[in-house]
Amino acid sequence: MSELRELYQTTILDHNKSPQNFRVPAGANRHADGHNPLCGDKVTVHLRVEDGAVRDVGFQGSGCAISTASASLMTQAVKGKPVAEVIRLFEVFHALLTTGGDAREDLGKLAVFAGVREYPMRVKCATLAWHTLRTALDGKPEVAKTE
């Protein structure tokens, strides 16, 4: 088994078992719901955006291990970053999973999701929280989807 595959499995299992930022942050001022109807994953992303930056972030919901782990790692990656940088990170992560973009050095721990691209149905699981984050940042009232 390759080192990246082992890291992927360990990371997914760890973050699924003990997700980080599984909560509603105090003072959250942006929220969005996301739903992946193909597998039933549901997530709500809560943000506290101040002075053009994501000061705090949390999520709630239920889903498969990939969906939960992705949401957990996403919250760690975006917390404290300027909104413009969060949007760029969304684009880089999405490209990695959908077009094979190679930005592993920019993604840190998120790079473990590179292998998900080989399983198109799982890409939706890994990107649901990210689409929901983007919907919350944009202030859109609709439910985020992975379509």
Side-chain angles (χ1 to χ4, degrees):
M1 183 181 290
S2 76
E3 191 174 310
L4 184 60
R5 185 169 172 85
E6 284 183 37
L7 180 60
Y8 165 80
Q9 289 180 339
T10 300
T11 301
I12 298 299
L13 293 174
D14 287 350
H15 280 269
N16 181 55
K17 185 177 178 180
S18 301
Q20 302 299 300
N21 300 303
F22 191 79
R23 61 185 173 78
V24 178
N29 55 11
R30 307 235 183 131
H31 312 270
D33 296 317
H35 182 230
N36 180 353
L38 294 175
C39 69
D41 295 339
K42 292 184 178 184
V43 67
T44 302
V45 172
H46 308 278
L47 305 169
R48 182 167 51 89
V49 178
E50 295 173 345
D51 302 321
V54 175
R55 300 296 177 198
D56 203 358
V57 57
F59 77 102
Q60 295 178 303
S62 61
C64 68
I66 291 172
S67 178
T68 301
S70 182
S72 177
L73 283 161
M74 176 196 75
T75 64
Q76 291 181 317
V78 304
K79 190 174 184 178
K81 290 198 169 44
V83 170
E85 188 175 336
V86 171
I87 291 169
R88 186 194 68 75
L89 188 58
F90 164 83
E91 291 167 355
V92 171
F93 183 77
H94 192 263
L96 179 71
L97 271 66
T98 59
T99 64
D102 189 24
R104 290 184 182 109
E105 66 280 350
D106 293 335
L107 291 172
K109 289 181 182 180
L110 293 168
V112 300
F113 287 97
V116 172
R117 184 170 184 267
E118 297 174 27
Y119 307 97
M121 296 300 290
R122 306 310 295 191
V123 168
K124 295 175 184 302
C125 300
T127 60
L128 178 62
W130 290 86
H131 284 286
T132 308
L133 169 74
R134 185 66 196 261
T135 299
L137 286 171
D138 293 344
K140 295 180 180 175
E142 72 249 14
V143 173
K145 294 190 172 72
T146 53
E147 304 301 321

